[in-house]
Amino acid sequence: MDKRDDIVEINLGELFSILLGRAFLIISAGLFFALTGLFVSKFVVHPVFESTTKIYILNKEENQTVTYSDVQISTQLTSDYAELIKSRYVLEEAIQRLNLVDITSEDLAKVVKVDTPSDTRIVAITAKDEDPLMAMEIANCIREVSSEHITNVMDIDAINVAETANVPTKKASPSVFRWTIVSGFAGTVIVALSLDRKSVV
């Protein structure tokens, strides 16, 4: 038992001294990988932009006072609205209106995200695309088509636009900072582990 503990302590000490002695190499590798990640995320990977529009839905009849019960029902139904927004009918209609070529409803569903914050009647529709203008157009078109579809299916009097989508000025991904940090950390770990294996051998 004592001999094994001594061996482990000696090996750990040797490994620490090896890593400390080659700290310059490890740090240099980390910086190299970090710069590589920065370059790839900034100049190689295509940026993706996101644009969001929001609608306000209240389940009530015209000329009626809004009650607390109306608010509760509308809040509970937001998940149903989310399903209708991403339904095949809405997606296919949006494709036709936008004259999108070589894209299916399944492809469009992948770039559209619907959020329904809890305890609210607000539904947020977010579209992403490499073209910021197209991201805005997709979001607004999905909002228009889905508003008509929800009105017909759910027998809603009206759906108000809480916020229209605008042209995004900043890309949503990739994150240059995240790519740089993760790449630098990964490079440091890889080089450190490779040095450990060489020292053990």
Side-chain angles (χ1 to χ4, degrees):
M1 294 290 294
D2 295 337
K3 291 182 179 180
R4 292 181 179 178
D5 292 339
D6 292 339
I7 294 174
V8 172
E9 289 180 0
I10 294 174
N11 288 339
L12 291 176
E14 290 178 352
L15 290 176
F16 179 76
S17 62
I18 291 173
L19 293 177
L20 187 62
R22 299 181 181 180
F24 177 77
L25 176 61
I26 295 175
I27 294 174
S28 299
L31 289 175
F32 174 78
F33 275 82
L35 291 174
T36 302
L38 185 149
F39 177 82
V40 171
S41 62
K42 197 167 186 178
F43 300 106
V44 178
V45 179
H46 294 290
V48 175
F49 297 87
E50 289 186 351
S51 185
T52 301
T53 181
K54 297 178 181 180
I55 56 177
Y56 178 89
I57 305 174
L58 185 60
N59 186 29
K60 69 182 186 68
E61 295 181 0
E62 188 178 1
N63 298 327
Q64 252 192 353
T65 304
V66 179
T67 64
Y68 180 71
S69 177
D70 292 327
V71 174
Q72 281 189 318
I73 293 174
S74 298
T75 302
Q76 294 170 358
L77 288 174
T78 50
S79 58
D80 295 336
Y81 301 145
E83 290 297 322
L84 291 175
I85 291 172
K86 296 197 70 173
S87 63
R88 183 165 53 86
Y89 170 82
V90 171
L91 297 174
E92 290 179 350
E93 182 64 22
I95 290 173
Q96 291 184 3
R97 294 189 185 186
L98 292 171
N99 294 320
L100 299 178
V101 183
D102 298 331
I103 184 172
T104 64
S105 58
E106 290 79 8
D107 296 329
L108 187 58
K110 295 177 182 178
V111 303
V112 175
K113 180 177 64 175
V114 180
D115 292 320
T116 55
S118 59
D119 300 327
T120 68
R121 301 180 299 278
I122 299 294
V123 179
I125 304 170
T126 301
K128 60 182 180 180
D129 195 88
E130 295 181 4
D131 182 0
L133 181 61
M134 179 56 66
M136 179 196 70
E137 292 180 350
I138 292 176
N140 284 329
C141 186
I142 292 290
R143 185 199 70 234
E144 294 173 1
V145 177
S146 61
S147 295
E148 298 171 4
H149 189 49
I150 292 174
T151 302
N152 295 329
V153 174
M154 304 294 291
D155 195 22
I156 302 297
D157 290 329
I159 296 177
N160 298 326
V161 179
E163 182 180 295
T164 59
N166 58 358
V167 180
T169 57
K170 295 181 180 180
K171 64 181 181 180
S173 64
S175 172
V176 176
F177 176 78
R178 187 180 302 170
W179 274 59
T180 302
I181 296 299
V182 172
S183 299
F185 178 77
T188 301
V189 172
I190 291 173
V191 173
L193 290 177
S194 64
L195 291 177
D196 285 346
R197 291 179 181 177
K198 290 182 180 179
S199 62
V200 172
V201 176

